[in-house]
Amino acid sequence: MGYILLGIFLLLTAIGVPVAYSLCLSVVVILVFFMDMPLVVVSQMMYSGIDSFSFMAVPFFMLAGAFMSAGGVTSRLVSFSQSLVGSFTGGLAQTVSMAGCFFASITGSSAANTAALGSTMINELEKRGYGRDWASGIVASSGVTGIVIPPSITMVVYGAIADTSIGDLFVGGFIPGIMMGISMMIVSWYLAKKRGIPKEGNFSVLNVGRAFKNSFFALLTPVIIIGGIYGGIFTPTEAAAVAAVYGIVVGMFIYRELKLKDFPEIIFQAVIGTTFIMFLVGAANVFGWMITNMQIPHQIAAWVMSITQSPIIFLIAVNILLLIAGTLVNASAAVVILTPIFLPVAIGLGIDPLFFGVLMVVNLAIGCITPPVGLDLFVASAIAKVPIERVFQHSMPYLWALLVVLVILTMFPWFITVLPNMLR
Amino acid sequence: MLDKFLKGLRAILRYFSVVSMLIMLFVIFGQVVTRYLFDYTPEWSEELARYLFVWVVFLGSALIMGESGHLAVQFLPLKFKDRPLGTFFDIIINISSYIFIGILFWQGLRMTRIMTFQMSPGMDIPMSYVYAVIPLSCVLMMLFVVRDSVKIIKGILSPKEVKG
């Protein structure tokens, strides 16, 4: 029966039936032909999956990022990053990765991050002799930290599904996100040295101070979110609403680039983005109810443990699976579908759900630039108008660096758990 | 005809969902403010936002079909596009959509009809008002599925007309 359920789901999905439909239809087949149960569970479980306060953080974080980027935050974060690292070898490329990290602390999605960086930085990089292909590779890779550094929509989704503290997940993503950013900056430095990109500009504390002042209100966003959640002032969902309203205030009244007429389109995009995730969450809730009913996660856990008792080997297998999954579907969607299957096994092997969640997110982030179909590659290719093959040819070195970070994180959970443990 | 109608429908849905989202945002933001300033949390605020969220998601699921579509793995359909196997896939996708949305419609309608007496704890409104969005959005989604059917039939009747 379990094979029939999974078989129908995989078959329909492979043909191209929307994943949400195939999740529900495979459950329907089991209900109708193998169980004597009313079909009303389909609509009931779908409803109860969507009717969730935690998930409401998803559209709010989308709005916060969109309001701020329409408000002109990106260019200010870029100048701040440039004042810090612009004078090194390959400074402008490093600036992009660093600005990616800063922008990640406002937005919760890597595609949004790549899009924001791409629209401002690709031409700039080209002008300074990096070439359009390399520029698009840098931008695609620099976007990935979007879902690792808090706030993160993917972490909200994981937290709500796995019943893990969203605040802890957010804080747990900090060090991994910064490690990813630094690893990419090192790659840029090395490549720029090898390819003879001239150094430019001088480091000046005065510049840093001025740029910091300009981008202060943007940089304050993560402080408000994390501080508010850990200070017990608000829940993650309320934090997201506060961040969105803060985004409106900063964009409209401080930087004054956000206009009222931009609102409908920004909000509409958040509606579409939210539905994209939430309809799937509802359908996955139906499917999750069925597999739990049939004790499938339990069976998978028993099966995995009959092969290996080692958490590391399991994590390596999960890493590989997630890298593939991350290229096929959007990171949050992968979390929705795969968490109910992987998490019971992880817990069975004694792996901390918090550590597992952050690792999953890092993994799926890297999946965004894994060829042939990583999402960020497409975004960068569309913005730069560079064929996708050339984007991933140039994001390859960054991909390797990120994989090294992934291995380090897998071997040493400390990097992920240290901050949440300190704050808890 | 259908396309024109869908376009008008999209405009209405878009308007509704954008307004709902704004209300959600300010209700939740307001809840933080009133709790901090007046030490008071309205008992309806979270519930209202949550129900609006459900409405937005379900109506959005019809809207999204006129945009990028629901998440699907496009690998095989793109590979066999404009070939008999591709058309076969399209037909399966189309039929699956009818079945899924049809089931969701009927069961959603049942929930709506049964729950007229159950009241929500916070706002004291019948739960059917909330559940009603399920059958409603299914009807709207169905329109988009019909549009896809028309497209497939047209494709079969006049094959390889505009290829490349």
Side-chain angles (χ1 to χ4, degrees), chain B residues 100-120:
Chain B
F100 166 68
I101 297 170
I103 291 173
L104 194 62
F105 172 77
W106 278 116
Q107 302 309 327
L109 196 65
R110 260 179 70 188
M111 279 169 72
T112 313
R113 300 218 318 243
I114 295 168
M115 297 300 181
T116 39
F117 298 107
Q118 194 198 351
M119 295 293 174
S120 77

Side-chain angles (χ1 to χ4, degrees), chain A residues 145-273:
Chain A
T145 48
I147 58 171
V148 180
I149 293 178
S152 157
I153 286 163
T154 313
M155 285 180 184
V156 170
V157 172
Y158 177 86
I161 292 176
D163 209 8
T164 304
S165 153
I166 292 169
D168 287 352
L169 288 164
F170 277 6
V171 174
F174 246 120
I175 296 180
I178 292 167
M179 286 166 75
M180 291 164 84
I182 291 175
S183 75
M184 290 188 283
M185 287 162 71
I186 294 172
V187 171
S188 288
W189 171 81
Y190 173 76
L191 290 178
K193 193 144 204 150
K194 214 174 76 177
R195 293 174 190 172
I197 303 284
K199 275 205 213 185
E200 49 191 314
N202 288 316
F203 179 82
S204 103
V205 181
L206 204 70
N207 265 341
V208 175
R210 198 180 308 132
F212 176 76
K213 216 181 100 198
N214 274 336
S215 48
F216 174 76
F217 289 102
L219 293 169
L220 202 59
T221 320
V223 180
I224 295 174
I225 295 170
I226 304 288
I229 295 175
Y230 272 92
I233 302 173
F234 33 60
T235 63
T237 302
E238 288 170 343
V242 170
V245 173
Y246 180 71
I248 296 177
V249 172
V250 170
M252 276 185 86
F253 303 112
I254 297 177
Y255 297 152
R256 293 168 188 239
E257 283 177 40
L258 176 66
K259 300 277 176 285
L260 258 184
K261 67 168 170 34
D262 305 331
F263 274 46
E265 189 53 32
I266 289 175
I267 299 173
F268 178 65
Q269 287 311 322
V271 168
I272 294 296

Side-chain angles (χ1 to χ4, degrees), chain B residues 130-154:
Chain B
V130 185
Y131 297 144
V133 73
I134 303 176
L136 174 64
S137 67
C138 285
V139 172
L140 301 176
M141 283 163 78
M142 211 52 121
L143 295 173
F144 286 95
V145 182
V146 171
R147 179 200 62 178
D148 290 345
S149 304
V150 172
K151 214 185 278 171
I152 293 171
I153 293 168
K154 268 189 188 156

